[in-house]
Amino acid sequence: MQEKYSIFKSARGERKFREVYEQSLKLWAVPYESRLVNTTYGKTHVLVSGPENGEPMILLHGMTFNSTMWVQNISALSQRYRTFCIDTMGDYGRSVVKEPLKTRQDCNKWLSEVMDSLGLEQAIYVGHSMGGWLSLNLALTSPERVVKLVLLAPIASIIRLPIVFMLKVYPVMLRPTRERILRLWKWFLARGSRLHPWIEEMVVQGWMNCTPQLRVVPHVFKKHELSSLKPKTLFLVGDEEVVYNASRAIKRALRLLPGVKAEGIPKASHCFVAEQPELVNQKILRFLDKGE
């Protein structure tokens, strides 16, 4: 019998999804450990890499994806850091939902419980898109748990989503076909860019076989909250971003987030983590090492 909050539409779809997830992990260029940790909201899947004595870094992926999105970043980031790539509860990953995340408070409690289960008091947070929203949400309410913050094209957060985003995404979620999914993800990429074939297949299988059980709607945080942000923060956005205006987002980040370093990534759009991985890795590591 299908679980009450299973993300999978069918047993066959689950098998296909898990098969592609495992195939995608063949691209993982460093040794890793796959863990399931218990929380109030269910079992959270985590991929752990890097030296055991390395400073902890938590990576949170974008919406309708999972930790395999970091395959082109994990080698560089795991050289010195102990990386924990988390499959967001209720999204298209290997976490098992017992109770959906419905509020900001749920998100913070869930992440805090994951950290406690992993034995982490603090960590660097690196979040892409929805993962950026989750990371910023935690940093605003529990700053003692976030050492430094890296926001990679965070969805909503500081700038409202345009109606075109909804018009592009929701029709495909309602009637997903391979052709429609790939057309949508082409829109998410800069001109001439393409995802690695296995990551592209991960996207297709997720959208075809999963129904999200993540009930939190990302929103723009209030100005007084953003102005209270304590962790040192890097904000990156692709110059060809389609989810919102890149230059406007950078200006708002510089105006609203105390001491933030904000800049664009050339020849890249919303998926710049995969489009320009070497440049993104360099900027993250430079910021963590020198604050530049």
Side-chain angles (χ1 to χ4, degrees):
M1 185 172 70
Q2 192 176 42
E3 296 176 35
K4 182 178 179 182
Y5 293 114
S6 174
I7 65 169
F8 299 107
K9 298 176 182 178
S10 67
R12 181 177 180 277
E14 179 178 359
R15 288 193 297 272
K16 183 61 178 176
F17 176 88
R18 291 182 179 277
E19 176 186 318
V20 176
Y21 193 112
E22 291 302 317
Q23 287 289 343
S24 298
L25 284 179
K26 291 182 179 180
L27 303 174
W28 213 257
V30 292
Y32 68 89
E33 177 187 354
S34 177
R35 297 187 193 175
L36 277 176
V37 300
N38 290 316
T39 73
T40 300
Y41 302 92
K43 295 181 179 180
T44 301
H45 181 247
V46 187
L47 294 172
V48 186
S49 297
E52 291 188 12
N53 61 349
E55 185 176 2
M57 174 190 291
I58 288 176
L59 295 99
L60 294 174
H61 59 82
M63 191 179 288
T64 70
F65 214 82
N66 54 60
S67 294
T68 62
M69 71 159 281
W70 302 109
V71 292
Q72 292 170 277
N73 314 99
I74 198 64
S75 180
L77 299 180
S78 294
Q79 291 303 307
R80 288 178 34 226
Y81 295 95
R82 183 70 163 171
T83 56
F84 299 86
C85 298
I86 297 174
D87 281 355
T88 299
M89 186 63 65
D91 214 335
Y92 298 174
R94 288 173 53 182
S95 294
V96 182
V97 183
K98 177 181 176 183
E99 186 67 33
L101 303 177
K102 299 175 183 177
T103 67
R104 287 181 62 181
Q105 292 74 23
D106 287 341
C107 295
N108 286 343
K109 184 179 179 182
W110 165 66
L111 278 174
S112 293
E113 289 182 3
V114 172
M115 292 181 73
D116 291 342
S117 295
L118 293 169
L120 305 176
E121 293 184 8
Q122 296 179 311
I124 296 163
Y125 266 78
V126 179
H128 173 256
S129 195
M130 183 62 181
W133 188 91
L134 291 167
S135 300
L136 179 56
N137 183 47
L138 182 69
L140 289 172
T141 53
S142 302
E144 72 281 359
R145 306 218 71 162
V146 182
V147 178
K148 290 183 180 178
L149 182 62
V150 178
L151 301 176
L152 307 174
I155 198 166
S157 302
I158 67 167
I159 191 167
R160 188 177 299 173
L161 293 175
I163 190 65
V164 66
F165 176 80
M166 312 298 182
L167 294 175
K168 289 278 188 180
V169 171
Y170 284 105
V172 183
M173 293 189 77
L174 291 172
R175 294 180 56 204
T177 65
R178 177 178 291 269
E179 182 181 3
R180 298 181 84 193
I181 295 165
L182 292 178
R183 188 186 308 126
L184 172 64
W185 278 76
K186 185 177 181 179
W187 178 72
F188 278 124
L189 298 169
R191 289 170 299 227
S193 294
R194 184 174 178 181
L195 297 175
H196 186 284
W198 271 115
I199 301 304
E200 187 176 270
E201 187 63 20
M202 184 80 266
V203 168
V204 171
Q205 294 304 322
W207 281 64
M208 291 285 287
N209 297 306
C210 300
T211 300
Q213 298 295 336
L214 178 62
R215 308 291 173 80
V216 180
V217 178
H219 60 270
V220 177
F221 296 105
K222 295 186 182 301
K223 291 182 180 179
H224 72 85
E225 286 188 275
L226 295 171
S227 65
S228 71
L229 182 65
K230 290 182 172 58
K232 198 168 187 178
T233 302
L234 174 66
F235 182 100
L236 299 178
V237 60
D239 283 351
E240 298 180 37
E241 175 66 79
V242 293
V243 173
Y244 44 69
N245 183 278
S247 61
R248 184 165 173 247
I250 290 172
K251 289 176 182 176
R252 284 183 63 83
L254 291 170
R255 186 169 75 251
L256 299 174
L257 304 178
V260 70
K261 178 176 177 58
E263 58 184 296
I265 300 295
K267 299 179 181 178
S269 184
H270 194 63
C271 301
F272 64 83
V273 172
E275 295 174 284
Q276 298 284 358
E278 292 184 7
L279 179 58
V280 173
N281 295 341
Q282 290 171 10
K283 288 187 178 294
I284 292 174
L285 293 173
R286 190 179 300 126
F287 166 75
L288 295 177
D289 289 346
K290 302 178 182 179
E292 297 177 357

